[in-house]
Amino acid sequence: MTDHMPDDLSAAGRDLRAYTDELRPKHPVVRNTKGEWVLLRHADVLAAALDHERFSSHVSRYLQVPNGLDGEEHTRYRKVIEKYLTREALEPFIPVFKRVASQLMAELPKGKVLDAVSDIGAVFAVRAQCAWLGWPDELEPQLLAWMQENHAATRSGDNAQMADVAEQFDEIIRSIIRPRRSVGNKAPDDLTTKLCRETVNGQPLTEAELVSILRNWTGGDLGSIALCVGVLIAHIAQHPELAVKMRAASNNEVEAAINEILRLDNPFVSNRRVTTCPLHIGGRDIPSGAKVKLNWTSANRDETVFDNTRFDPQGNAAANLLYGAGKHACPGRLLATWELRIALQTMLTSLQTIELAADQPLEREVAPVGGYHRVPVVLR
Ligand code: HEM
């Protein structure tokens, strides 16, 4: 492979996980067609995630709270968000997520081919997140349609299409927060109303800040949860012995197994940074002001850190970058972990078998998205 070839990580039409596996041993840092520098090795991704001085998160011209903020400003906003995502704050929602999962299992047709990503993952993600935020059930079809459009826009890489879809979503969020913010209105007693009443530096959060926070909690995460459910179901269907073990396992053991399955096939592919000084990484000179991508999917399969032929939930937990590292590490980790565990446990206890459809192939996603596009399964 010449040094020039890996400079195209647009990887159009390719499975990004397979492609980065191919590139990583010889080309730890590659440039994509957008001119971004993509870090593929575990050590480099981890170092960049921990080094928020030389890798700024201020990558977009759009307001991104808190992910696009740096330093003290990031800390202030992050504090507001974290209190909704602690163990104590989330515990009351466990029965809610269980109800959502059981109801979905009861509704899903048995003995017929279903897509684990769109028919199970996406629907569970929307219902669980709406229940958590206090959003009305009637939003479900609108949010599901939006997820599909967002997915299509991300895959297309077309900036105008992505901006258009983002604006549609912001409009949905504004329609939810406006009545909760209007003075004198009897707002429902839910998490979204509580968030609308938060202050930073003594000032109420602005509409733009609220939209950004809620966009992050929903727009991005609904897709991630749906893709994660797809990866988990595909793995379980291909490893029935693991399904047997999981039925008898403790919550902690199930969560560890989920994290290991998602380490091996991490559908939350990457996050961006911008360099604040010139850097030398993986043999490449990266200038100041350069856009850098931390590729979690690739880092999580780095053969110098993990033996990918061994399924080792305990042994690989400490180095697993599924939820990132450093100041921007995922504050929604516990929420995501519980939602995924409850979805999987409910499936395992309410079904006898989860099998891949005999006559329809698994379809991988292609760059820039990870995981599966379609996981045809039959539930019994
Ligand atoms: C399986 C699902 C999820 C995965 C794999 C995931 C993964 C990640 C990762 C890797 C980061 C680090 C980003 C960076 O370093 O730039 C992150 C950040 C973040 N995640 Fe998650 N996440 C998931 C679900 C959620 C959920 C459910 C929420 C909340 C409702 C959430 C809220 C956030 C927020 C607010 C940030 C930005 C944090 C900051 O910049 O300080 N995530 N997530």
Side-chain angles (χ1 to χ4, degrees):
M1 196 180 281
T2 68
D3 191 43
H4 193 64
M5 270 174 74
D7 273 6
D8 179 8
L9 196 74
S10 66
R14 300 187 69 159
D15 176 345
L16 220 146
R17 181 178 71 147
Y19 191 40
T20 52
D21 273 356
E22 205 180 292
L23 291 174
R24 188 176 51 249
K26 283 201 183 144
H27 303 280
V29 179
V30 294
R31 277 192 100 182
N32 65 18
T33 45
K34 285 184 178 167
E36 295 162 328
W37 301 80
V38 187
L39 310 186
L40 299 178
R41 268 196 317 219
H42 187 278
D44 296 333
V45 170
L46 179 60
L50 297 176
D51 185 351
H52 38 88
E53 298 290 334
R54 295 194 294 175
F55 292 87
S56 160
S57 285
H58 190 62
V59 290
S60 169
R61 60 198 166 93
Y62 297 105
L63 179 67
Q64 294 182 320
V65 182
N67 39 321
L69 306 175
D70 288 326
E72 277 299 302
E73 197 185 22
H74 169 260
T75 310
R76 278 196 294 276
Y77 283 91
R78 171 124 182 170
K79 253 194 204 140
V80 171
I81 285 163
E82 277 176 345
K83 64 179 179 224
Y84 295 95
L85 295 161
T86 61
R87 188 166 285 273
E88 296 68 37
L90 293 172
E91 244 151 16
F93 291 95
I94 290 179
V96 177
F97 298 147
K98 284 187 178 166
R99 203 164 47 240
V100 167
S102 309
Q103 219 169 330
L104 177 61
M105 282 312 118
E107 275 172 30
L108 289 171
K110 310 296 172 311
K112 282 193 179 164
V113 178
L114 299 172
D115 172 23
V117 183
S118 59
D119 296 327
I120 307 177
V123 180
F124 174 74
V126 166
R127 290 188 187 171
Q129 211 76 343
C130 281
W132 178 56
L133 292 165
W135 292 9
D137 296 347
E138 300 81 73
L139 270 183
E140 183 181 320
Q142 216 178 327
L143 287 171
L144 285 172
W146 179 85
M147 275 167 85
Q148 287 216 330
E149 275 177 50
N150 184 41
H151 203 76
T154 310
R155 280 177 120 205
S156 77
D158 176 346
N159 285 341
Q161 200 183 336
M162 284 193 273
D164 192 41
V165 176
E167 180 46 37
Q168 279 175 33
F169 195 71
D170 288 2
E171 205 37 57
I172 300 178
I173 301 179
R174 281 194 283 266
S175 75
I176 294 164
I177 60 176
R178 277 195 182 141
R180 288 171 164 84
R181 298 185 83 220
S182 54
V183 183
N185 202 317
K186 253 189 127 240
D189 177 22
D190 59 29
L191 195 151
T192 307
T193 301
K194 284 194 191 100
L195 186 70
C196 287
R197 294 182 180 151
E198 289 291 351
T199 56
V200 171
N201 293 337
Q203 294 298 315
L205 290 174
T206 63
E207 182 177 275
E209 287 167 347
L210 285 164
V211 168
S212 173
I213 292 171
L214 288 164
R215 188 197 304 123
N216 193 319
W217 287 3
T218 48
D221 302 321
L222 291 173
S224 307
I225 299 268
L227 287 171
C228 286
V229 170
V231 169
L232 292 172
I233 295 179
H235 192 94
I236 291 288
Q238 291 171 98
H239 299 85
E241 74 292 349
L242 187 62
V244 173
K245 268 196 193 166
M246 279 206 185
R247 281 194 179 95
S250 68
N251 288 348
N252 283 346
E253 287 166 337
V254 175
E255 287 173 10
I258 288 174
N259 287 344
E260 174 69 345
I261 295 169
L262 296 173
R263 175 189 70 76
L264 284 159
D265 193 358
N266 183 349
F268 191 98
V269 177
S270 60
N271 285 105
R272 289 186 299 164
R273 298 288 190 270
V274 57
T275 55
T276 58
C277 60
L279 293 164
H280 188 75
I281 309 173
R284 314 279 304 245
D285 287 314
I286 304 181
S288 180
K291 292 243 168 87
V292 174
K293 267 192 168 171
L294 319 190
N295 192 307
W296 312 112
T297 307
S298 168
N300 260 338
R301 294 177 55 80
D302 188 334
E303 39 289 306
T304 64
V305 176
F306 306 103
D307 173 1
N308 293 325
T309 60
R310 282 191 58 221
F311 187 76
D312 184 5
Q314 310 302 336
N316 291 330
N320 190 341
L321 292 175
L322 175 62
Y323 291 102
K327 276 178 65 154
H328 291 273
C330 184
R333 177 181 183 141
L334 193 60
L335 175 62
T337 305
W338 283 356
E339 285 190 13
L340 292 172
R341 169 173 59 73
I342 290 168
L344 197 62
Q345 283 175 327
T346 310
M347 287 193 80
L348 291 172
T349 50
S350 54
L351 299 166
Q352 276 176 349
T353 57
I354 305 165
E355 286 164 2
L356 293 180
D359 52 346
Q360 297 181 27
L362 284 162
E363 288 172 42
R364 292 289 298 172
E365 259 302 348
V366 291
V369 185
Y372 291 96
H373 179 58
R374 200 173 127 76
V375 178
V377 283
V378 179
L379 313 179
R380 291 183 210 280

